[in-house]
Amino acid sequence: MHPELIKPVKKVRGGVKVPHSKNTKDMPAKRIPAPETVTLPMNQHIGAPCEPVVKVGDYVKVGQLIGDTDAYVSAPIHASVSGKVSAIKEIRTATGMVSKAVIIENDGEMAEFEGLEPPKSDTREEFIKAVRASGVVGLGGAGFPTHVKLNFKQDIGIDTLIINAAECEPYITVDYRECLDNSWDVFNGIHLVKDMLGFKKCIIAVEDNKPEAIKILERIAEKDDERDEIKVMPLKSKYPQGAEKMMVLSATGRKIPPGKLPSDVGCVVMNVTTTAFISRYIKTGKPLVSRSLTVDGSAVVNPQNVRVPIGTEIDYIIKTCGGYAEEPVKIVTGGPMMGAAIVDTHAPILKNNNAILVLGKSDISIKHETDCIRCGRCAKACPLSLMPTIIEKYAKARRAEALRDAGAMVCMECGSCAFSCPAGRPLVQIMRNAKQVLREEAPK
C-alpha cells in the first residue's frame, strides 16, 4: 500500500450491501440554463430560518444577500439569478416544510453583485466569519451550517479532520465527480481548514468502489502534502459507511457516544464538496448560489449530473433532462435510502439537495408487509446495535422509559433495518414513531 493510503482502523458493524447504480459516474456536471424564476426559501438549513432583507420590487444580482438572521445556528441566503423580486410569500418545500421564500424573476443577464470580492481570512476568527458569510451548509445532504461546525473551542482536543467522500447511497455521484473534476479545490479547501483551525492530521475517506477518485486523491496527496499530514483511506463499500458515526469509527477507532458529536471525540467531519466550495469562496468571494446534483432513475429520459441555481424548480430540472421516460413510481430528493419522497415537483431545489431520483418500476422492489418472523436481520443490519422489533413493542405501549433505555433516540434512520427485512416491515417509520412517543411523553 502506498504511504498516502491507509487502512480503516476499525470495522463498522451492521450495514447492508445496496446496489450501487452509479449510472452517472462518468458524467461531469453540466450547467443547465437558468430558469425564468427561482424560489429561495429562507430555511434551507438545520437551525433558525433567515428573514428577507429585500422587498418586493427590488432588483437583485447574483450573490447579493437576500436573507439573514442574528441567530447563531443559521446560514445566510443569496440571490442565485439577477432580476426583480416578484414576491415574498410562504411556500411548501419538497419535504413538506412551510417556509417564507423570496421569488426572483430572472432577467436573463445573470449579472453578478458588484460587492463580491475575496473575503479577509488571515486569522481563525476571520476565516470562520467568511465561511458563515458564504452561506455554505453541509452539501452532502445534512444541511448543517458549516461555520457552526468549524467554530469549536480550541482547547477541547480536536485533532482530526475527516473529509467524507464515501457517497454510499445508490445513484448519487456528485461527490465522486467533485473528487475527479475539482480535486485541487478539494485539497486547497483541506489546507485552508486544517491550517486555520489547527488540525494535526486529515483523512479523506472514500469507498473502494471509486478507484479513480482514490487514485487522483492519492496522487495529489503525494505531490501536495509536504508535511505528510493528509491521508486517503479506502473504505469497504457498505451502506451506511458515509454516516458520521460510522466514518469516525472507521477512520480513528473512536466511538461517538449516544447524543454526542464527532467533536466530542476529537474529530470534525466535512463533506468533500463543501470543502471544495470553501476553497473557491475564499479565492473569489462568490457565495453559495448554485450546486451540482445527480438526476437519475429509469423514469427520466437523460440521467446526468447537472449544475443548477439554487431555488430552481424540480420539474424544470427533470424537463431539462429530457422529461419523463415513463410514469414515475416515486420521485425522491437525495438518495433512495435516506432521501425524501416528494409529491410536488414545483418545489425548489435547496442548498443540501444532492440528487433528484425519478424512479420507475424497474428501480423499486415493493415488499408487501407481513408479520414479523423474528429472524433478527434488522438487528444484525443496524450499525448502532439497536433492536427495532423491541423498540416497536415499547412504542405501541407508549413506554417512554423503556424506549429511552432501548436507544430509540439514537437511531439515525439510515434504513438498513427496513432494507434487510424479509417481511417488508416499515421499520424506519416505526423508529420515527418511537421518537415521537418520547417527545410527547417527555416531562413538560
Side-chain angles (χ1 to χ4, degrees):
M1 181 174 285
H2 295 170
E4 288 73 30
L5 295 181
I6 56 175
K7 293 182 179 180
V9 175
K10 196 163 185 178
K11 184 180 178 181
V12 172
R13 86 170 298 278
V16 290
K17 280 283 187 181
V18 295
H20 293 150
S21 303
K22 303 289 189 178
N23 308 312
T24 60
K25 65 183 178 64
D26 297 323
M27 301 179 182
K30 173 185 174 184
R31 191 176 293 275
I32 66 173
E36 293 181 359
T37 64
V38 294
T39 300
L40 294 159
M42 293 291 100
N43 193 354
Q44 298 192 39
H45 46 260
I46 292 172
C50 293
E51 283 295 324
V53 297
V54 292
K55 60 184 184 298
V56 175
D58 283 355
Y59 180 79
V60 296
K61 294 185 177 181
V62 176
Q64 183 174 339
L65 183 71
I66 62 167
D68 206 351
T69 175
D70 292 331
Y72 177 58
V73 184
S74 189
I77 311 290
H78 302 83
S80 58
V81 298
S82 59
K84 187 174 74 172
V85 176
S86 60
I88 297 175
K89 63 180 182 179
E90 287 193 342
I91 61 115
R92 193 175 294 276
T93 66
T95 58
M97 177 181 66
V98 175
S99 173
K100 189 179 292 185
V102 173
I103 300 171
I104 304 171
E105 289 182 1
N106 184 6
D107 63 2
E109 298 294 327
M110 294 299 285
E112 287 194 357
F113 182 56
E114 295 84 356
L116 301 185
E117 60 182 20
K120 193 174 181 182
S121 57
D122 297 328
T123 66
R124 183 179 190 272
E125 291 72 24
E126 288 174 346
F127 177 69
I128 292 172
K129 185 178 178 182
V131 172
R132 186 197 184 280
S134 76
V136 70
V137 302
L139 298 178
F144 189 77
T146 304
H147 74 96
V148 178
K149 180 180 288 191
L150 297 182
N151 195 18
F152 52 84
K153 293 181 180 178
Q154 291 179 276
D155 58 353
I156 61 174
I158 295 180
D159 57 7
T160 304
L161 173 65
I162 302 173
I163 302 301
N164 186 348
E167 204 162 48
C168 58
E169 284 255 20
Y171 294 101
I172 309 174
T173 62
V174 284
D175 284 351
Y176 172 72
R177 291 309 317 179
E178 194 75 26
C179 292
L180 267 56
D181 302 329
N182 300 303
S183 48
W184 282 105
D185 285 337
V186 172
F187 272 82
N188 288 337
I190 288 172
H191 284 299
L192 276 168
V193 175
K194 190 168 69 67
D195 295 345
M196 284 292 179
L197 304 182
F199 290 102
K200 295 177 182 177
K201 61 181 177 179
C202 172
I203 298 169
I204 309 174
V206 192
E207 279 197 335
D208 59 12
N209 65 343
K210 304 173 181 67
E212 291 303 315
I214 292 170
K215 189 185 302 180
I216 194 168
L217 293 171
E218 176 207 355
R219 190 162 64 241
I220 295 177
E222 183 180 6
K223 293 179 180 178
D224 182 59
D225 181 29
E226 296 178 356
R227 290 175 289 182
D228 197 32
E229 294 174 342
I230 303 173
K231 302 293 183 182
V232 180
M233 179 180 286
L235 300 172
K236 185 178 179 182
S237 179
K238 193 176 186 182
Y239 177 86
Q241 185 65 76
E244 279 193 338
K245 290 188 176 184
M246 310 301 104
M247 186 153 285
V248 169
L249 186 63
S250 293
T252 67
R254 304 170 191 174
K255 188 173 182 180
I256 302 174
K260 299 295 183 179
L261 299 170
S263 57
D264 294 304
V265 295
C267 300
V268 167
V269 181
M270 288 184 66
N271 170 264
V272 67
T273 302
T274 304
T275 307
F277 167 78
I278 289 174
S279 169
R280 292 191 287 270
Y281 176 72
I282 295 298
K283 283 188 284 189
T284 66
K286 186 173 182 178
L288 184 62
V289 294
S290 65
R291 70 152 301 143
S292 298
L293 51 89
T294 297
V295 182
D296 203 352
S298 65
V300 67
V301 172
N302 296 315
Q304 58 189 288
N305 290 314
V306 296
R307 186 84 183 177
V308 302
I310 292 165
T312 303
E313 275 191 5
I314 293 170
D315 184 64
Y316 174 83
I317 297 171
I318 294 172
K319 287 178 179 175
T320 304
C321 294
Y324 299 100
E326 61 178 87
E327 184 70 24
V329 176
K330 186 180 290 187
I331 300 176
V332 176
T333 55
M337 298 297 288
M338 293 188 74
I342 64 170
V343 294
D344 183 7
T345 57
H346 296 293
I349 281 295
L350 309 181
K351 292 180 181 182
N352 63 326
N353 293 146
N354 56 359
I356 300 170
L357 303 184
V358 191
L359 304 175
K361 292 178 182 178
S362 62
D363 298 313
I364 297 177
S365 175
I366 299 175
K367 296 179 183 177
H368 296 286
E369 183 182 349
T370 59
D371 291 337
C372 173
I373 60 173
R374 301 293 188 269
C375 66
R377 292 183 192 177
C378 58
K380 184 179 180 181
C382 179
L384 298 174
S385 304
L386 301 179
M387 298 281 288
T389 53
I390 298 296
I391 291 173
E392 178 184 16
K393 182 177 75 172
Y394 292 152
K396 286 180 177 178
R398 300 188 70 82
R399 293 177 57 187
E401 192 63 37
L403 281 173
R404 267 188 291 273
D405 292 342
M409 291 303 290
V410 175
C411 173
M412 61 183 178
E413 301 175 19
C414 69
S416 296
C417 54
F419 183 85
S420 60
C421 177
R425 306 282 293 167
L427 294 173
V428 176
Q429 288 82 355
I430 286 167
M431 301 300 275
R432 288 173 182 162
N433 289 342
K435 293 179 183 180
Q436 185 61 32
V437 169
L438 276 171
R439 284 188 283 265
E440 291 173 356
E441 298 295 325
K444 299 295 189 286

